[in-house]
Amino acid sequence: MVLLTLPYTLKITGCAGEGVICAGEMLLEALSRLGFHGAAYREFPSSIEGGYCAVTIQISDKLSYLPVNNIDCLFVRYIAAVEKEIGHCRRGAVLIYDDSSQCSEDELLALLKKLKRSDIQLIAISLIESGNDPGSKKFYSSEILGVVGRFLSIPLSNLEYTVRNRFQYKNLSTLQRNCDMVSRGYQIQQGSHYSKLPLQDKKPFEYEILDGNEAVARAAVSVGCGFFSSYPITPSTGIGNFLARVLPARGAVSCQAEDEIAAIGAAIGASFAGVKSMTATSGPGLSLMQEFLGYASMVELPLVVVDVQRPGPSTGSPAQFAQEDLFAAVFGSHGETSRIVLAPDSIGNCFNLTIDAFNCSEYFQCPVIILSDSVLGLTKGIIPVPERQDVRIINRSVVSGECKETYGESTAGVSECKDIRGELNGEEFKRYSLETAVAPIPVPGYSSVSCRITGLEHDEYGNPTDSAEMRTLQQKRRMNKLNLIETMFPSLVEWDYCTDEIDFGLIAWGITVAAAGSVVERLRSDGFRIAALYPRLLFPVCLNAIKRLQSMTDHIIVVESNGHGQYARLLKMYADVKPHSILSQTGSPILSDTLYDSCVRIVKGCFENEML
Amino acid sequence: MVLLTLPYTLKITGCAGEGVICAGEMLLEALSRLGFHGAAYREFPSSIEGGYCAVTIQISDKLSYLPVNNIDCLFVRYIAAVEKEIGHCRRGAVLIYDDSSQCSEDELLALLKKLKRSDIQLIAISLIESGNDPGSKKFYSSEILGVVGRFLSIPLSNLEYTVRNRFQYKNLSTLQRNCDMVSRGYQIQQGSHYSKLPLQDKKPFEYEILDGNEAVARAAVSVGCGFFSSYPITPSTGIGNFLARVLPARGAVSCQAEDEIAAIGAAIGASFAGVKSMTATSGPGLSLMQEFLGYASMVELPLVVVDVQRPGPSTGSPAQFAQEDLFAAVFGSHGETSRIVLAPDSIGNCFNLTIDAFNCSEYFQCPVIILSDSVLGLTKGIIPVPERQDVRIINRSVVSGECKETYGESTAGVSECKDIRGELNGEEFKRYSLETAVAPIPVPGYSSVSCRITGLEHDEYGNPTDSAEMRTLQQKRRMNKLNLIETMFPSLVEWDYCTDEIDFGLIAWGITVAAAGSVVERLRSDGFRIAALYPRLLFPVCLNAIKRLQSMTDHIIVVESNGHGQYARLLKMYADVKPHSILSQTGSPILSDTLYDSCVRIVKGCFENEML
Amino acid sequence: MRCSENKRSFSGKLKPTWCKGCTYFIFQKVLNGLLQRLNYDPLSTVFVSGIGCSSRISLYTSAFGMHTIHGRAIPVATGIRLSRSDVSVLVIAGDGDLFSIGAGHFVHAARKNIDITVFCLNNMTYAMTKNQSSPTSGFDHAGSFTPAGNQTLPLNTVEFAICCKSSFVARSTTFTPDHLEKTIIRALKHRGFSFVDIVAPCRTFNPEYFPSEKQISIVDVNETMQFDMKDYSSALQCASRCIFPSRESPAVLPVGTFFEA
Amino acid sequence: MRCSENKRSFSGKLKPTWCKGCTYFIFQKVLNGLLQRLNYDPLSTVFVSGIGCSSRISLYTSAFGMHTIHGRAIPVATGIRLSRSDVSVLVIAGDGDLFSIGAGHFVHAARKNIDITVFCLNNMTYAMTKNQSSPTSGFDHAGSFTPAGNQTLPLNTVEFAICCKSSFVARSTTFTPDHLEKTIIRALKHRGFSFVDIVAPCRTFNPEYFPSEKQISIVDVNETMQFDMKDYSSALQCASRCIFPSRESPAVLPVGTFFEA
Ligand SMILES: Cc1ncc(C[n+]2csc(CCOP(=O)(O)OP(=O)(O)O)c2C)c(N)n1
Ligand SMILES: Cc1ncc(C[n+]2csc(CCOP(=O)(O)OP(=O)(O)O)c2C)c(N)n1
Ligand code: SF4
Ligand code: SF4
Ligand SMILES: [Mg+2]
Ligand SMILES: [Mg+2]
């Protein structure tokens, strides 16, 4: 019995439709029950059936999920998977293979020999079919769970509980078959290779297992989102799947629109009606929403738009990963619009950042775009989810009414009601007053004054105007109202300080932060002095933070997963920084090792230049 | 009789629906017949009827149209127009007013006195109604033409000819009434204030009177555009109006689509079918086209998209002017797309640049966006239009076929046909070969091989692929293929050199170039050494030119009509320039005087700093 | 939503920029009068429109107004309705807005029977962009994009609305304010997706309809035709015969309530 | 366009990524066989599709193929057709693609009678995005966005297509390849906008239709119903009664040619 060290990485591979992802997610649940942190990262083909499919389970005692290539234990059913993954297996890794399928021991040994990987420890097991899925394919999830669970010495009762939980809504015979299969898998002899995970003392019940999509959706519920409309698109669909189940029970609305234009249009309508609203999509949908995004900026209604990024352009690579929609999020609409762009940097942060997004949107009265991505969105993590009462909630300022019951506190989240009838003195209400950054919003059926809104340029009352002066003033106000965001929402910028004198600064955003974090540690232990800046507020650019970093060093590295260096270029545009860009376009998040090497190369280059 | 000096500026004002714009355009035609250059700039309200309406006629002996505020002669019917325009009248300007309408001499004198403009010379005339328009409003165009024509001593026969030309398709009685009215206007006594324009020797027949929209459309016809589809939107509608009349007669197609998405979709379909195609729109339409623009980049089909800019965001100010869609044109689609963005800088250049746009698009196989604007689009100019044989035309490289007749030479413009059957040796055709920047395009019904195209990432054959390596290679090729554009199309960058050592450099784009040109002259005569750079190629950034300018000076000023300094920021992003921005958001193009003052202020600031 | 207190006016403070004599004034007057008479509360009523001459109406009311973007009034109204069952939602937009760029949204809101009232100010042209053929323009209509004449039969909006499963479908016209009023009342009372096509020709670009209220014979199908407006198939058949402007009888304008589920 | 030379195969080199037993294989086989038999020239034929499992078919042909973006196959096909009268243009896409996001384009291409043939591979779900209700999903269909059951009646595509003035409208199914073949031939021969709804349930997400070819009774309306398919109103009425899946008789699938102008 080997005692494993954390983080420990286990990868289960197979073909789409065989249940490997299900197996991985059940394993995560079982681990969570034992007090572990961790995440389950899925890889799947873009077709519905067939094709390579895998799930990587990272078992950890810390919160963050780190994209890794150092596999400690690999489970395979096909020899092709070994060829594909062996390069990512660390020395001495364990390979559990199904000798009942396409993998024979001889072949395997021959292959490992060819690949010069005699360090790999082999465990042969024999799966049987466990049940039929609707398409009458083999479905192995519970059996695999049994095998892997036994390997990690997880109690069978825990695994069985997990299986019951997972299949609770299936018919009884399916449920029973899965329970049988988990114990069958558990009983398969694995020789003397059993291992054991270190004991954990985390209180398991403050945590939930959610992927980033679910975390976004969960947060929307917590913050009082009363209306969600969307159109399905990979990899954002999970948000809709979650909210379609959860919102109606809370008296809120989830609506499948006929397309993305209708989806954002309905969300804008709901926002006008006083209800917090959200829509979610991926790149192609973001492109379609550009006209309405500009409208929301112009009429200054709160609105949250989630873009779960995937590689583009056009349909691109729907099943892969990239951070390529930043430019479209910032600049996509015609004209000059005031909007906020945020990016979560961990699965857990998908929750908190969505809360922030709603708050910013309500506070500044403008659309907020959340740039998530396919890995954050589809990777399950064991994350802390605060109770509603612990969530900081900002509600839009509205014009109050005739002392009707406060409208829909929990869903619309109307607070800070101003009864402005007294102030008006018979004058018209200035919805777009130039004297304040944002004026309160009249809400139909609730407020004591009405308002009319238009995408035409308008004066303080909201009436269309041809006056260039008024246009300039309103445009300025719409832009400048965002100036305070960095101060108002300090949690939108994350720092990893060092000393005031540093050798270089590293900037990363989105999921790339995970790799950056581990690289920073490594570089520091190499003796480099580094400060790291992890902006979640991508636009408007967090100038205070950037300036501070600039004051510490001239050498700033920006790492991101796109071809243009989009965030680096935003910094050039808005902050006069000339960063070094590290770009990655592998279809997966950048790996620590790669990032480490690139950083070292750049830093050495800089120092050499300075020597000269 | 006063002999006038050129450029001479005459402004006719009135209410929408009274025919003032028609009067101005007829005047321009009459002037053109006398060998003048010139332009007629329209101002109109965004509603159909009522509201202030005006046309400014600039009479010149040079080609370019310059937005001006120095009015030499103002025609008014309402006293409000005097208040509005008097500030733009140069000292000693002539004011022709209609004393039959809301303007009395006493009032006028009182007003001028109050405004301290006793320098203004008054001419009273009395219009009568000339005919009824469909909405039973007064329609004064021919009568005004008579008045103004007499003032400038244009022969009556010329004016009558013009009127006949203009109303040729109206019914006989309308035509006759207009002819009567022009001579009535001609006969109104104007006291002793007649003037005369200097004789011209330009050959009038090489020139046409077109506004920028018509010039774009005319060029599309010349270059062999075989398909145009669009959806009406101010201020781009004129392009569709023109092509709907002209294309069908040439066996080509003009199609009104149900919306902008369908418009660009149909144009892409036609392009796939081997036919040069174009669509035109304004800001909101550009936003709607973003998804298809990304698709065109991805499948690498030639396509020209005209965006006649108006102020945004959202519906914004449809009747006014701005240069605000640059960011949306460059960055608007999700993912990272390869596209070309061009901007014409004069009415005449609307023609040439559209030719260039088609050529670039055919050559590089990607969408080209032309950023025109409401002033270029709606201002009539007397411009040279080359014969088709003098136009440089590049046609896409296509895969040739079984020696059928070359397909639709004039419309599809298929040339440089490659019969690749021999080369293939039974292998599949590489539509997206990595060995060349662009491969020839197979055309249905014409080529000897077929192809299938997809917005999914694809390999060299065009088949979908999940390979990250292939994706990176194809993305690189799609981006890099544009590297040669600046060298291949030198006319896309215009220089106004001085010496190699300069005090500062000025960059302007679009119609702003007109004001910049006159300011450069003035500043040079002040003793400053200036080089001016007028890029028509906005994206990819014309790095060679920018670098050259940078090598001459550190002080670079960029002038443009938007709030963000969009082109200036593009330069920061892509060329490491730190320019001074001069921004204008007045709803009209920046005026020379304003620009001059701003330039002087910046230059002085720089010099003072350097002194310290 | 009805007022508790006194009847309140729906006239807004902004002066319409419509042409003198525009038929939209007639519609506006009838609608505003009616809403007041029926005790609607401007503070609980939302006018939603797209872009076009017609769509400006949402800026000219004392109620809440959303002047949105071209073609998208219906999705926005859907969002208001689904999130707030307690406010009245009226969509008022043009033929181009609702049936060209907006056609897809119409189909789905009708199909889902979203409880909104949709008024099409049908002037059979794109007036705001100066006369292009709209989906309801007559065959041979010379729009600026179709100078040789539009070669498409007009969309029969009432037939289309029924086929999309609207639960109330009617046509009226600004030529007969009384009938218009009667029709609007019915539409407002109906619960579910209700649609009224209002023939309101453009004075500037469709002058041939003026001053010709007499030349056009307005026929009330509820008086002249035998059909059961509660029966889908009967209603659909009746509506499909009642096209306007029709090539066969261009001078006949069939109005009335075609379907009420 | 027909070949001058030998009949040429329409089978592409790319292997479909469809699930084993996907009904789209049946459609593909019938269509490809037919095009070859009818002497169509792959080099003069364009398959245009949107995005979805169904829409991938344009990548699996030896003809020209445009796999475009979601919902926009029809505008693209319109552009090809209007600019090139000499190539054959087939649109093949899913029910979600054509009738949800693409509904507006369908309306206008039909109305303008654009000479293209549109095949809807109607599996009554969004298969590619893993089972959300589509406009043709049955009432109570539990899509992932409507877990409590879709509360909307399905769009009757044949009725809708007729109402939009398609000049040829039929329905067939992959359950009856012979009938499918016959129907496709008619559709291809027709000049003008022709539409065929092809009921082709998804094996993965609509397993209840398998292996139940026998449970569903397929009824050919041309044999069982009295109507004149050349007469608009008669055809419309017939089509409006032939909804699938219908709440009243879920096991009856009415197929046939409904309208031919
Ligand atoms: C996305 C977009 N496309 C085009 C336009 C231009 N546009 C404004 S109004 C209009 C048509 C209006 O026609 P209709 O809806 O019938 O209203 P009407 O003016 O006739 O009352 C168009 C095409 C726009 N504003 N936005
Ligand atoms: C603009 C856009 N929105 C959403 C999607 C995601 N998407 C891909 S296919 C599809 C639906 C496919 O359904 P259907 O057309 O019925 O085809 P099927 O897969 O059922 O054959 C959707 C919503 C997309 N690709 N693009
Ligand atoms: S153009 Fe026509 S629709 Fe528009 S305001 Fe004038 S009359 Fe009314
Ligand atoms: S998911 Fe359904 S429609 Fe898609 S390929 Fe599989 S069986 Fe066919
Ligand atoms: Mg209209
Ligand atoms: Mg489908």
Side-chain angles (χ1 to χ4, degrees), chain C residues 107-224:
Chain C
V107 174
H108 291 98
R111 213 168 66 72
K112 294 177 181 168
N113 203 21
I114 304 292
D115 180 22
I116 55 179
T117 314
V118 177
F119 298 105
C120 176
L121 288 178
N122 182 356
N123 61 0
M124 299 153 291
T125 184
Y126 288 21
M128 174 141 275
T129 48
K130 306 198 172 160
N131 201 29
Q132 293 78 32
S133 299
S134 92
T136 60
S137 295
F139 189 88
D140 258 348
H141 173 265
S144 78
F145 278 12
T146 47
N150 167 39
Q151 295 304 298
T152 315
L153 288 173
L155 184 77
N156 185 350
T157 58
V158 290
E159 178 194 17
F160 184 76
I162 295 175
C163 181
C164 293
K165 309 294 182 284
S166 315
S167 55
F168 176 93
V169 178
R171 185 190 284 134
S172 188
T173 170
T174 50
F175 290 136
T176 53
D178 289 350
H179 183 269
L180 182 58
E181 186 172 303
K182 237 175 41 193
T183 312
I184 297 178
I185 293 178
R186 279 182 96 143
L188 289 174
K189 292 212 168 130
H190 180 83
R191 300 207 119 232
F193 188 88
S194 43
F195 171 67
V196 186
D197 184 39
I198 295 157
V199 175
C202 169
R203 235 173 228 282
T204 304
F205 298 116
N206 278 330
E208 65 273 23
Y209 289 104
F210 304 94
S212 57
E213 282 87 333
K214 289 121 242 160
Q215 286 167 25
I216 295 183
S217 70
I218 295 165
V219 178
D220 187 339
V221 296
N222 301 111
E223 287 162 10
T224 58

Side-chain angles (χ1 to χ4, degrees), chain A residues 217-462:
Chain A
R218 188 73 175 62
V221 173
S222 282
V223 81
C225 172
F227 185 85
F228 175 77
S229 55
S230 74
Y231 189 69
I233 183 166
T234 308
S236 76
T237 312
I239 299 176
N241 292 346
F242 188 99
L243 290 173
R245 276 183 284 117
V246 173
L247 284 184
R250 312 208 161 210
V253 176
S254 161
C255 154
Q256 178 180 338
E258 62 267 27
D259 59 25
E260 287 85 352
I261 298 178
I264 187 175
I268 289 173
S271 183
F272 184 76
V275 175
K276 289 188 189 176
S277 65
M278 180 168 93
T279 182
T281 189
S282 183
L286 184 68
S287 286
L288 285 171
M289 290 180 181
Q290 293 294 3
E291 194 191 4
F292 254 135
L293 273 168
Y295 178 76
S297 295
M298 190 64 154
V299 298
E300 300 179 65
L301 282 175
L303 173 73
V304 175
V305 176
V306 189
D307 172 23
V308 186
Q309 298 169 95
R310 63 191 212 187
S314 197
T315 311
S317 306
Q320 301 202 27
F321 162 86
Q323 304 179 301
E324 290 182 359
D325 292 348
L326 176 58
F327 279 167
V330 174
F331 300 121
S333 302
H334 67 280
E336 301 183 330
T337 60
S338 47
R339 40 169 91 163
I340 295 169
V341 181
L342 308 178
D345 50 23
S346 70
I347 304 168
N349 184 241
C350 285
F351 185 94
N352 298 321
L353 195 83
T354 302
I355 304 284
D356 290 334
F358 273 95
N359 287 344
C360 288
S361 170
E362 295 283 312
Y363 188 83
F364 294 110
Q365 301 183 4
C366 73
V368 175
I369 300 173
I370 299 179
L371 284 183
S372 178
D373 63 64
S374 50
V375 169
L376 284 175
L378 300 182
T379 301
K380 294 258 182 203
I382 301 169
I383 63 166
V385 171
E387 295 295 310
R388 188 166 196 266
Q389 62 269 22
D390 299 333
V391 172
R392 172 192 179 207
I393 297 183
I394 299 178
N395 293 319
R396 69 188 74 177
S397 152
V398 304
V399 176
S400 86
E402 297 144 310
C403 295
K404 292 182 193 167
E405 200 92 346
T406 299
Y407 170 76
E409 159 66 66
S410 68
T411 50
V414 163
S415 81
E416 217 196 308
C417 305
K418 297 195 183 150
D419 186 346
I420 45 111
R421 274 171 307 169
E423 298 166 28
L424 282 181
N425 293 323
E427 271 194 34
E428 272 213 78
F429 171 62
K430 291 187 175 171
R431 168 70 185 99
Y432 302 109
S433 169
L434 289 168
E435 274 147 44
T436 149
V438 292
I441 308 182
V443 175
Y446 171 75
S447 298
S448 52
V449 297
S450 64
C451 71
R452 286 143 300 280
I453 63 173
T454 174
L456 286 163
E457 191 52 84
H458 40 258
D459 61 19
E460 293 184 277
Y461 305 101

Side-chain angles (χ1 to χ4, degrees), chain A residues 56-364:
Chain A
T56 309
I57 292 101
Q58 194 168 102
I59 310 168
S60 167
D61 48 7
K62 273 184 287 185
L63 248 175
S64 90
Y65 161 70
L66 176 68
V68 276
N69 54 350
N70 295 314
I71 301 171
D72 295 293
C73 172
L74 180 68
F75 177 96
V76 302
R77 299 196 55 248
Y78 306 99
I79 198 129
V82 180
E83 285 184 81
K84 194 173 161 69
E85 301 291 354
I86 198 77
H88 302 145
C89 292
R90 66 158 183 77
R91 297 209 67 77
V94 172
L95 178 68
I96 308 180
Y97 68 98
D98 178 9
D99 67 4
S100 70
S101 65
Q102 285 88 333
C103 269
S104 80
E105 185 173 5
D106 293 350
E107 267 181 293
L108 211 52
L109 287 173
L111 177 66
L112 291 176
K113 192 163 171 200
K114 196 182 103 201
L115 299 169
K116 303 210 173 72
R117 291 299 301 261
S118 54
D119 60 299
I120 302 290
Q121 310 173 48
L122 294 183
I123 306 180
I125 50 107
S126 300
L127 295 185
I128 57 168
E129 311 172 13
S130 44
N132 289 318
D133 83 335
S136 81
K137 290 208 34 137
K138 317 294 182 214
F139 195 67
Y140 297 91
S141 57
S142 298
E143 199 175 3
I144 296 175
L145 178 67
V147 168
V148 177
R150 179 70 194 88
F151 172 72
L152 297 173
S153 307
I154 298 173
L156 179 58
S157 57
N158 184 350
L159 300 177
E160 278 177 338
Y161 187 89
T162 305
V163 167
R164 277 185 201 284
N165 202 16
R166 177 82 179 202
F167 293 96
Q168 59 184 316
Y169 300 113
K170 300 282 172 179
N171 61 41
L172 262 184
S173 74
T174 306
L175 180 58
Q176 191 52 50
R177 207 164 33 215
N178 278 285
C179 290
D180 294 349
M181 281 304 140
V182 72
S183 49
R184 194 219 166 248
Y186 206 82
Q187 279 140 26
I188 299 176
Q189 286 305 318
Q190 306 184 6
S192 53
H193 286 288
Y194 300 111
S195 2
K196 208 172 160 53
L197 290 161
L199 272 182
Q200 295 298 303
D201 54 5
K202 172 169 80 71
K203 289 197 203 71
F205 298 107
E206 289 163 6
Y207 292 79
E208 291 183 28
I209 299 183
L210 299 173
D211 60 30
N213 281 339
E214 291 163 340
V216 165
R218 188 73 175 62
V221 173
S222 282
V223 81
C225 172
F227 185 85
F228 175 77
S229 55
S230 74
Y231 189 69
I233 183 166
T234 308
S236 76
T237 312
I239 299 176
N241 292 346
F242 188 99
L243 290 173
R245 276 183 284 117
V246 173
L247 284 184
R250 312 208 161 210
V253 176
S254 161
C255 154
Q256 178 180 338
E258 62 267 27
D259 59 25
E260 287 85 352
I261 298 178
I264 187 175
I268 289 173
S271 183
F272 184 76
V275 175
K276 289 188 189 176
S277 65
M278 180 168 93
T279 182
T281 189
S282 183
L286 184 68
S287 286
L288 285 171
M289 290 180 181
Q290 293 294 3
E291 194 191 4
F292 254 135
L293 273 168
Y295 178 76
S297 295
M298 190 64 154
V299 298
E300 300 179 65
L301 282 175
L303 173 73
V304 175
V305 176
V306 189
D307 172 23
V308 186
Q309 298 169 95
R310 63 191 212 187
S314 197
T315 311
S317 306
Q320 301 202 27
F321 162 86
Q323 304 179 301
E324 290 182 359
D325 292 348
L326 176 58
F327 279 167
V330 174
F331 300 121
S333 302
H334 67 280
E336 301 183 330
T337 60
S338 47
R339 40 169 91 163
I340 295 169
V341 181
L342 308 178
D345 50 23
S346 70
I347 304 168
N349 184 241
C350 285
F351 185 94
N352 298 321
L353 195 83
T354 302
I355 304 284
D356 290 334
F358 273 95
N359 287 344
C360 288
S361 170
E362 295 283 312
Y363 188 83
F364 294 110

Side-chain angles (χ1 to χ4, degrees), chain B residues 79-111:
Chain B
I79 198 127
V82 180
E83 284 184 84
K84 195 175 160 70
E85 300 290 354
I86 198 77
H88 303 146
C89 291
R90 67 158 182 78
R91 297 209 67 77
V94 173
L95 177 70
I96 308 182
Y97 68 98
D98 178 10
D99 66 4
S100 70
S101 66
Q102 285 89 330
C103 267
S104 81
E105 186 172 6
D106 293 350
E107 268 180 293
L108 210 52
L109 287 173
L111 178 67

